[in-house]
Amino acid sequence: MIRIEKAELREIRLPLIEPFETSAGVTTEKRVLLLEMTHADGSVAWSECAAEALPTYSPDTVDTCWFALVEWVIPVVLRHEFEWASDVDVYFERRIRGHRMARATVEMGTWSIAALRLEVPLATLLARHAGASPRATVATGIAIGMQADPAALSARVAEAAREGYCRARIKIGPGRDVAFVSAVRDAAGQEFALAVDANCSYSLDDPSHLAALRELDTLGLAMIEQPLAHGDLVRHAELQRDMKTRICLDESLDSDTSAEAMLAIGSARMANLKPGRVGGFSEAIAIHNRCAAAAVPLFCGGMLETGIGRAYNVALASLPYFTEPGDLSPSSRYWVRDVVTSPWTMDAEGAVKVPLDKPGIGVDVDVGLIDDLTVRRVSLSRS
Ligand code: MG
């Protein structure tokens, strides 16, 4: 039985080593919500909210999630007891429309509590729920933000290849696409796995956009991620029929229901699965199993998580059908100092070790550092 007695929500500000630019803007400092939940037996789980400061990627933001967590989501787990972690999602699905990133913060934390109470690693618990075994390592790709010119981008991709990353995924947008990607392809060679992510910035109604997408289709890309609008499964299906390169959906995939629609009409042949975006692990595992049955490969996307959120993503990415490299970069790529005491690392082959040697998320949280970085906090208890 899962019985949460106390939940403390905080916002921290964590400076990035370098600014990260996508078609939606530039991020220099990450505003992060962290949740610390305490179970009746004293077990403590830290979890992270995937939301960003602005509603450019998702309608959920740091501030809407703060409100949703304090007003609706956390009170649910402080008022009820749950037999399984997956029951939390069932309850949320019935009572709270949307607010998936806020729900995921609590839902994923309860999986961590459940893993601690069963004395198993989080990855093992998720795999059991999926009817599978976790793998020992997960392959890592790198997402590279927009650069000033094709030469600068090529240099960044060459550096990523040297560091061992299994794939580079380049952020593109109209006017900053074909010339950039062609230069990278020439510099990196045909063998290196190269993908692009457009973050919804193209339209089939614009002939110049369509021409760029057709040229990108000739560059041997591993996939083209989310070229069209976030809600537009129909036009993605139309485009996929027209392209030999796999389309991968990210923003469009907000639930198992949208995954079912994506597969039914052929909107994509790959999926970027972020557990925060779909409401947590229960929904993510359902999507994993659905995509496995349809032979549509997955990768675990990132939201510039700290080492806490990274632990949850690594556990999810250890499920067997995450066959494509995930956004699981080591801590040193993003943070001057991560909020976990043993930063995440990657080996020379681009593999991250799944922590299978201790119960729970497998990393220790640096509470002292989090205290120093906290800009607001609220504590809620079972009454
Ligand atoms: Mg994306």
Side-chain angles (χ1 to χ4, degrees), residues 169 197 199 225 250 272:
R169 189 157 122 262
D197 184 0
N199 289 107
E225 183 170 323
D250 175 359
N272 175 347

Side-chain angles (χ1 to χ4, degrees), residues 51-52 54-55 57-62 64-65 98-102 276-277:
E52 297 175 322
L54 297 172
Y57 169 82
S58 160
D60 296 336
T61 70
V62 166
T64 67
C65 285
H99 299 285
R100 290 182 184 272
M101 288 188 176
R277 192 192 58 226

Side-chain angles (χ1 to χ4, degrees), residues 1-2 11 17 47 94 99 113 119 123 129 131 134 136 147 164-165 207-208 249 257 261 281 290 330 356 361 370:
M1 199 59 102
I2 295 169
E11 178 180 342
I17 286 176
S47 58
R94 279 199 221 114
H99 299 285
I113 290 274
E119 298 185 340
H129 192 74
Q147 306 292 314
Y165 283 102
S208 70
L249 290 186
T257 304
F281 282 148
R290 184 183 292 285
L356 292 172
I361 63 173
I370 291 173

Side-chain angles (χ1 to χ4, degrees), residues 81-156:
E81 296 178 16
F82 302 91
E83 193 167 352
W84 304 104
S86 52
D87 295 339
V88 175
D89 181 58
V90 172
Y91 196 96
F92 286 159
E93 193 61 36
R94 279 199 221 114
R95 306 292 178 94
I96 301 173
R97 190 70 48 86
H99 299 285
R100 290 182 184 272
M101 288 188 176
R103 284 161 46 180
T105 312
V106 169
E107 198 261 6
M108 291 161 74
T110 58
W111 283 88
S112 173
I113 290 274
L116 289 170
R117 300 198 67 233
L118 293 166
E119 298 185 340
V120 296
L122 179 61
T124 302
L125 183 62
L126 297 186
R128 274 185 201 166
H129 192 74
S133 298
R135 32 167 109 78
T137 60
V138 291
T140 302
I142 187 170
I144 298 179
M146 289 180 173
Q147 306 292 314
D149 54 63
L153 183 62
S154 298
R156 290 303 308 271

